[in-house]
Amino acid sequence: AEKVIQVWSTASRQEGEELTLDCSYETSQVLYHLFWYKHLLSGEMVFLIRQTSSSTAKERSGRYSVVFQKSLKSISLIISALQPDDSGKYFCALWELAMGYKLTFGTGTSLLVDP
Amino acid sequence: EAAVTQSPRNKVAVTGGKVTLSCNQTNNHNNMYWYRQDTGHGLRLIHYSYGAGSTEKGDIPDGYKASRPSQENFSLILELATPSQTSVYFCASGDWDSYAEQFFGPGTRLTVL
């Protein structure tokens, strides 16, 4: 079974709108981190934001924020005021202490933002 | 500026040929990783390393070898390339101190004909 699931493979929005990308995960670990990365059209993989399992703070980084529902094993990335440069592929990833230092990635959601 | 670089950025190889993908990091991280990204699979871990001289098998190691001759360098080796290894390959570095965040290189697009 997949450990990290991103249900939507594609999404499209207009410039200025807000988007929520959903991710669900499976883990039995107490300590874990969840990451959102963006794969740029240029090929780079860029770190966006991190959520730690032990934190109840609502993580934010610029126009990015997350909604972390630990009991549901769900994390959503919210991107506000979308810009055409936000187009790209967004990956959710899980890091578990017991699995060493590796990340387990979801299959990603490709976003297209129209001007 | 800390960075992860990969070479080559693009590679076309023939079936049965040997391919070496190189990765260099200036982050001074202990851990380095090789992933491949294919549509419908996200990024999958091929090999990783905890430091110079060490290599560990990831989730899909078959057909690949890895080499970590130094803290900075980590190579992925395809001894006998096959068309199924056509993919985009990412190298990454990271440490526990950075809260497990991994820093990625720009990727290498490999096509095996």
Side-chain angles (χ1 to χ4, degrees):
Chain A
E2 299 295 333
K3 295 197 78 165
V4 180
I5 297 172
Q6 294 178 252
V7 176
W8 301 107
S9 59
T10 62
S12 63
R13 293 290 186 276
Q14 297 292 318
E15 184 174 4
E17 293 183 335
E18 182 177 278
L19 171 73
T20 298
L21 298 175
D22 297 319
C23 174
S24 61
Y25 59 93
E26 280 300 324
T27 182
S28 58
Q29 300 300 310
V30 173
L31 177 61
Y32 57 91
H33 303 311
L34 293 156
F35 296 85
W36 283 96
Y37 282 87
K38 178 185 176 185
H39 188 204
L40 303 180
L41 297 178
S42 64
E44 290 180 74
M45 188 73 74
V46 177
F47 163 76
L48 297 178
I49 197 165
R50 171 184 51 243
Q51 175 70 51
T52 297
S53 59
S54 57
S55 171
T56 57
K58 184 175 171 67
E59 299 295 334
R60 297 188 67 89
S61 177
R63 294 184 295 110
Y64 302 109
S65 61
V66 295
V67 173
F68 179 45
Q69 298 179 283
K70 188 174 179 178
S71 62
L72 298 178
K73 291 191 169 67
S74 167
I75 185 165
S76 298
L77 175 70
I78 300 169
I79 311 173
S80 62
L82 283 166
Q83 303 166 2
D85 281 350
D86 290 323
S87 298
K89 194 161 188 176
Y90 291 79
F91 290 95
C92 175
L94 169 69
W95 176 90
E96 301 167 282
L97 177 63
M99 298 301 291
Y101 298 109
K102 72 170 191 175
L103 292 173
T104 301
F105 285 82
T107 54
T109 300
S110 293
L111 170 64
L112 178 63
V113 180
D114 291 320
Chain B
E1 181 176 330
V4 179
T5 57
Q6 294 181 229
S7 64
R9 292 294 311 277
N10 290 281
K11 174 75 176 178
V12 179
V14 296
T15 298
K18 182 177 180 179
V19 177
T20 300
L21 306 182
S22 300
C23 178
N24 177 275
Q25 58 108 352
T26 58
N27 298 321
N28 198 31
H29 288 153
N30 288 315
N31 306 326
M32 295 186 75
Y33 310 83
W34 277 106
Y35 295 90
R36 62 178 283 178
Q37 186 199 340
D38 303 286
T39 302
H41 287 282
L43 277 77
R44 293 180 290 174
L45 183 66
I46 306 169
H47 283 288
Y48 60 104
S49 169
Y50 291 135
S54 94
T55 61
E56 306 287 337
K57 292 182 179 179
D59 297 324
I60 53 164
D62 292 346
Y64 302 94
K65 291 183 180 179
S67 174
R68 182 90 181 269
S70 65
Q71 178 85 340
E72 299 79 17
N73 295 294
F74 191 37
S75 298
L76 185 68
I77 304 153
L78 291 66
E79 294 278 4
L80 294 170
T82 68
S84 65
Q85 294 175 312
T86 294
S87 187
V88 178
Y89 292 85
F90 285 97
C91 176
S93 73
D95 260 344
W96 167 249
D97 287 346
S98 57
Y99 291 90
E101 178 186 341
Q102 293 183 15
F103 299 82
F104 285 82
T108 294
R109 184 172 295 277
L110 173 65
T111 302
V112 183
L113 301 175

